[in-house]
Amino acid sequence: MTYEAQNLHDQPGSDYSSYGFNGGNYGGTSNSPPAYLNETTFPGVFGLRQASIKAPAKTVLLMAIPGFFPWSWHQPQKLPPGKYGLNDAKDLVGFVDGHTDYVKVYWNSNYNITSCCYDPPSGYDYKRSGN
């Protein structure tokens, strides 16, 4: 994909935008994060009952696909060379409790993986893990 100085949702290739499920913890494929994340599995809500999720108003259920990387449908910016995303890109999120919000998505440029592979630090209005 190349950078265009136009909102992605206005570009012809984005006619059918998409959302993704926060299921990084699905165990059917290799889902082990790199050791530097100090995690045993990627975060997500796959297979969890709604009642078992400790913070449903803050836990992601669905997210606009750009939020997994993150970059924004609505605020186009040139990505840093060789990097996945932008810190504080804003994207639409559907939460486990049923509400939606337009939130800043955290990206750690020190990790060579997408932001869907880890929870953000405190101060962000969402989390990916259900615990």
Side-chain angles (χ1 to χ4, degrees):
M1 176 174 286
T2 59
Y3 171 75
E4 292 187 40
Q6 178 185 30
N7 289 336
L8 192 57
H9 71 279
D10 289 334
Q11 296 176 32
S14 301
D15 285 344
Y16 303 99
S17 63
S18 185
Y19 289 83
F21 172 65
N22 179 27
N25 62 321
Y26 170 65
T29 60
S30 174
N31 69 336
S32 298
Y36 57 80
L37 288 179
N38 299 316
E39 302 278 342
T40 56
T41 60
F42 289 123
V45 296
F46 180 83
L48 300 177
R49 295 191 181 275
Q50 186 175 7
S52 73
I53 296 174
K54 294 185 174 143
K58 216 174 164 167
T59 305
V60 174
L61 180 63
L62 301 167
M63 181 179 267
I65 290 293
F68 285 92
F69 296 100
W71 42 274
S72 177
W73 286 111
H74 304 284
Q75 298 170 327
Q77 295 180 24
K78 191 168 187 170
L79 296 178
K83 298 295 182 179
Y84 287 105
L86 298 164
N87 201 30
D88 295 339
K90 291 185 86 173
D91 282 290
L92 189 62
V93 176
F95 292 90
V96 171
D97 73 344
H99 87 279
T100 60
D101 202 354
Y102 189 59
V103 301
K104 292 188 301 184
V105 179
Y106 175 74
W107 177 63
N108 187 328
S109 63
N110 295 318
Y111 298 161
N112 194 25
I113 57 175
T114 64
S115 64
C116 63
C117 299
Y118 47 87
D119 277 314
S122 63
Y124 284 80
D125 294 331
Y126 73 97
K127 66 181 199 140
R128 296 182 190 280
S129 58
N131 53 14

